[in-house]
């Protein structure tokens, strides 16, 4: 039985969707004012694992991720660059999609943008005003927290203890109570303005997510996720806005991933201690190694990112790819069928069971990956002793495909060499066949200079991309 640690209630709960096999999943998406940093990607990769595992377990997941393309930071950055807001956000939306594709993150089914959902937000705010949960003041509209007794339930926040200036909301507008937060913000110089039934202005950040999630997933849906920094105030506010509006329970399971840390501090733009995916690719780390590093630490544990951890992740991904290559390329023998089959079938069955049991328990990745590496060791022993039969190879590759569907790092990507480099590989093969060893060595060196490492195996010559040398 699949179980998750629900932030709401803080305990491990059996996963029972509202209308199985469908699962509605809403994940808070990027604020597109700059490249996302890899802290953000830790959360997105966790969400990707969650979605892929739910699909593996037979659920029909409908995944929605918002794109925040209007809030304080996007407006400030567009103004600083002297360009229209949509021009700035279009640039970083494109970069975001490039990055998630590189990291093997499955695309959500929908990516609603805040600027395209202003009417829905206005409608929700009007309902909240009508039922007394919100009030207009000086052209802005605020949520009246005193009318929502459940406020603080998700975060465990003691609302009486909130002091003026605390981070309930960082706007500078007058409101009845310091704890109230803005749903709609009156126009300010230099800010984009929408003319709406509420008057001119722009939405607050929190209302975006409750309006768009309910539009695409319904008033009540299954899972809502984000990083732990989203719990308060963002998700607390989303609950108040949604339930204040519909009266129905908003979300059944709230899952939050811990932060990615650098020197034990949260990676963030404001602390200037961040790396983007592009920074790490430029240092020679394959995106798959980063994906592995992010996925292999349980999502509820803080992850301190170091270059050593990335090196270890690159080595782990390489081991998995080497095993895959070995099983694909080893010539099948009839003798292997007699010798190895039962052991192979047992090992495959046991591994699938161990991985499933581990991931069923709140995505226990460490145990699951441990089972995979045990399998690789056992299989290598079997291959050394008795080779592989055609049937066994198919059985192992079947498991490997399933594992790759879950983790997204098991099948090596189909890399391509330029035709020029491929030509050199072929020339070297010919030189070796003709026993022109000097020529063969010279070609090997030329390829090495071009970043291509050759490995001669009984099944022929294989090539790999060499990782660039890293600086600290
Ligand atoms: P933002 O673009 O700041 O709204 O963040 C997008 C997502 O990344 C949210 O789910 C955040 O909780 C998450 N996030 C931000 N910083 C980190 C971090 N250092 N580690 C993990 N997740 C983060
Ligand atoms: Zn959100």
């Amino acid at each position: 039985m699949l179980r998750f640690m629900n932030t709401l209630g803080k305990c491990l709960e059996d996963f029972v969707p509202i209308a199985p096999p469908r699962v509605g999943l809403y994940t808070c998406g990027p604020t597109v004012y700059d490249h996302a940093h890899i802290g953000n990607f830790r959360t997105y990769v966790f969400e990707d694992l969650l979605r892929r595992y739910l699909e593996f377990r037979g659920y029909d997941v409908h995944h929605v991720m918002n794109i925040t393309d209007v809030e304080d930071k996007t407006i400030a950055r567009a103004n600083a660059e002297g360009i229209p807001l949509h021009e700035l956000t279009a640039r970083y939306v494109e970069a975001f999609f490039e990055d998630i594709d590189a990291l093997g993150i499955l695309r959500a089914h929908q990516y609603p943008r805040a600027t395209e959902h202003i009417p829905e937000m206005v409608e929700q705010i009007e309902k909240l005003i009508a039922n007394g949960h919100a009030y207009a003041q000086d052209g802005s509209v605020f949520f009246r927290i005193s009318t929502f007794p459940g406020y603080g339930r998700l975060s465990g926040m003691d609302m009486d203890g909130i002091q003026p200036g605390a981070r309930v909301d960082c706007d500078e507008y007058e409101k009845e109570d310091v704890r109230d937060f803005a749903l709609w913000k009156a126009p300010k110089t230099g800010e984009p303005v929408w003319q709406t039934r509420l008057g001119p202005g722009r939405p607050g950040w929190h209302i975006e997510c409750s309006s768009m999630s309910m539009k695409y997933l319904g008033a009540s849906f299954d899972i809502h996720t984000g990083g732990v920094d989203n719990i308060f105030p963002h998700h607390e506010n989303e609950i108040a806005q949604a339930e204040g509006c519909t009266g129905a329970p908003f979300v059944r399971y709230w899952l939050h991933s811990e932060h990615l840390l650098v020197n034990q501090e949260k990676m963030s733009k404001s602390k200037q201690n961040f790396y983007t995916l592009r920074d790490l690719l430029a240092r020679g780390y394959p995106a798959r190694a980063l994906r592995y590093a992010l996925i292999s630490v349980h999502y509820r544990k803080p992850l301190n990112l170091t270059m050593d951890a990335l090196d270890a992740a690159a080595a782990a991904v390489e081991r998995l790819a080497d095993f895959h290559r070995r099983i694909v390329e080893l010539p099948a023998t009839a003798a292997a069928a007699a010798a190895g089959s039962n052991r192979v079938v047992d090992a495959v069955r046991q591994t699938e069971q161990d991985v499933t049991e581990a991931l069923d328990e709140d995505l226990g990745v460490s145990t699951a990956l441990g089972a995979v590496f045990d399998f690789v060791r056992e299989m290598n022993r079997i291959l050394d002793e008795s080779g592989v039969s055609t049937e066994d190879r198919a059985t192992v590759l079947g498991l490997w495909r399933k594992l790759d569907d879950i983790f997204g790092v098991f099948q090596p990507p189909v890399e391509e060499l330029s035709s020029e480099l491929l030509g050199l590989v072929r020339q070297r093969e010919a030189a070796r066949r003709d026993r022109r060893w000097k020529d063969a060595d010279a070609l090997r060196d030329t390829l090495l200079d071009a970043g291509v490492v050759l490995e001669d195996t009984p099944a022929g010559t294989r090539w790999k991309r060499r990782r660039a040398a890293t600086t600290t």
Side-chain angles (χ1 to χ4, degrees):
M1 179 88 196
L2 189 47
R3 305 205 297 168
F4 292 125
M5 174 61 86
N6 192 350
T7 308
L8 194 65
K10 310 216 166 16
C11 63
L12 267 179
E13 286 182 26
D14 291 350
F15 180 61
V16 185
I18 296 168
R22 190 180 159 87
V23 170
L25 169 67
Y26 187 87
T27 59
C28 283
T31 306
V32 281
Y33 71 107
D34 200 346
H35 292 291
H37 60 64
I38 54 168
N40 303 131
F41 287 118
R42 179 185 194 193
T43 295
Y44 304 147
V45 164
F46 142 65
E47 290 158 346
D48 186 53
L49 174 69
L50 171 66
R51 165 173 165 191
R52 283 164 173 265
Y53 190 61
L54 287 165
E55 287 177 349
F56 172 78
R57 295 296 264 129
Y59 292 109
D60 171 18
V61 180
H62 189 85
H63 178 196
V64 178
M65 174 180 262
N66 68 298
I67 290 188
T68 300
D69 60 356
V70 55
E71 53 69 81
D72 301 352
K73 288 184 293 231
T74 46
I75 295 169
R77 179 66 70 95
N79 287 343
E81 290 195 21
I83 55 173
L85 183 63
H86 65 85
E87 195 177 316
L88 178 95
T89 56
R91 186 198 302 161
Y92 292 113
V93 167
E94 196 183 322
F96 169 73
F97 284 120
E98 276 171 25
D99 286 356
I100 61 167
D101 288 348
L103 282 169
I105 294 174
L106 298 181
R107 296 257 181 138
H109 299 94
Q110 272 148 321
Y111 288 101
R113 298 179 191 201
T115 53
E116 291 169 5
H117 292 79
I118 305 290
E120 287 84 349
M121 297 182 215
V122 168
E123 196 177 314
Q124 192 184 353
I125 294 170
E126 285 176 330
K127 282 187 189 152
L128 289 168
I129 295 174
N131 65 20
H133 285 302
Y135 58 95
Q137 191 145 310
D138 302 330
S140 295
V141 180
F142 297 95
F143 189 94
R144 191 182 271 122
I145 286 184
S146 60
T147 62
F148 191 74
Y151 197 87
R153 202 156 71 87
L154 180 73
S155 56
M157 192 63 72
D158 171 11
M159 291 313 293
D160 294 335
I162 295 282
Q163 297 300 314
R167 243 194 82 206
V168 176
D169 195 7
C170 37
D171 59 65
E172 304 145 12
Y173 302 84
E174 282 304 314
K175 42 195 171 180
E176 280 177 9
D177 184 326
V178 288
R179 305 172 311 171
D180 291 350
F181 61 89
L183 301 166
W184 187 255
K185 299 189 172 189
K188 272 203 216 163
T189 321
E191 295 202 342
V193 174
W194 280 265
Q195 302 295 335
T196 71
R197 291 195 298 261
L198 296 169
R202 67 168 174 101
W205 171 41
H206 314 296
I207 194 76
E208 296 178 9
C209 280
S210 53
S211 286
M212 296 194 285
S213 59
M214 290 199 292
K215 172 167 180 181
Y216 294 102
L217 296 171
S220 300
F221 60 92
D222 300 296
I223 309 179
H224 193 317
T225 64
V228 285
D229 57 314
N230 282 162
I231 299 175
F232 185 84
H234 185 49
H235 291 164
E236 198 74 75
N237 290 355
E238 274 190 52
I239 296 174
Q241 294 162 154
E243 298 189 359
C245 181
T246 68
F250 177 41
V251 170
R252 181 81 184 79
Y253 302 90
W254 288 89
L255 272 60
H256 292 101
S257 62
E258 266 298 338
H259 283 147
L260 183 80
L261 309 175
V262 180
N263 295 326
Q264 306 301 338
E265 269 201 292
K266 179 191 172 195
M267 178 175 285
S268 71
K269 287 274 159 63
S270 57
K271 292 199 182 112
Q272 293 286 314
N273 64 349
F274 63 90
Y275 296 108
T276 62
L277 173 63
R278 286 134 211 265
D279 296 333
L280 295 178
L281 296 181
R283 286 173 175 234
Y285 289 103
R288 290 152 48 72
L290 178 60
R291 180 180 171 94
Y292 187 92
L294 297 177
I295 225 167
S296 57
V297 172
H298 190 261
Y299 75 94
R300 283 192 294 103
K301 285 199 183 126
L303 193 173
N304 195 34
L305 188 90
T306 61
M307 293 305 142
D308 285 349
L310 280 175
D311 285 332
V317 167
E318 201 52 38
R319 276 215 304 285
L320 297 169
D322 281 344
F323 172 70
H324 181 259
R325 255 185 240 117
R326 183 173 190 204
I327 198 84
V328 168
E329 292 176 4
L330 200 66
T333 62
S341 260
N342 285 344
R343 279 172 79 192
V344 173
V345 170
D346 284 353
V348 165
R349 193 185 306 120
Q350 189 61 48
T351 305
E352 187 168 342
Q353 187 182 325
D354 291 349
V355 167
T356 308
E357 273 173 15
L359 294 178
D360 266 2
E361 196 70 357
D362 197 30
L363 302 180
V365 277
S366 314
T367 313
L369 289 172
V372 172
F373 281 104
D374 286 347
F375 172 73
V376 169
R377 264 188 300 276
E378 164 75 351
M379 274 309 304
N380 276 326
R381 261 195 305 272
I382 297 175
L383 296 181
D384 289 343
E385 288 163 18
S386 23
V388 72
S389 66
T390 310
E391 299 75 39
D392 290 348
R393 190 202 323 272
T395 310
V396 171
L397 289 177
L399 172 70
W400 216 247
R401 257 192 307 280
K402 285 187 193 169
L403 293 173
D404 194 56
D405 285 346
I406 299 172
F407 291 101
V409 282
F410 281 69
Q411 306 268 38
V414 182
E415 286 182 293
E416 288 191 11
L417 283 188
S418 66
S419 52
E420 188 194 351
L421 290 176
L422 210 53
L424 294 180
V425 175
R426 301 280 170 260
Q427 281 180 35
R428 182 174 167 278
E429 278 172 0
R432 274 167 54 83
R433 262 197 316 274
D434 303 344
R435 301 180 166 269
R436 288 183 281 115
W437 304 119
K438 264 209 176 124
D439 290 350
D441 287 351
L443 285 161
R444 169 191 282 268
D445 291 346
T446 309
L447 283 160
L448 197 59
D449 287 344
V452 180
V453 183
L454 299 179
E455 204 180 317
D456 298 312
T457 74
T461 299
R462 300 196 306 219
W463 58 266
K464 289 190 213 176
R465 284 264 178 214
R466 184 178 53 167
R467 263 196 327 107
T470 54
T471 46
T472 17

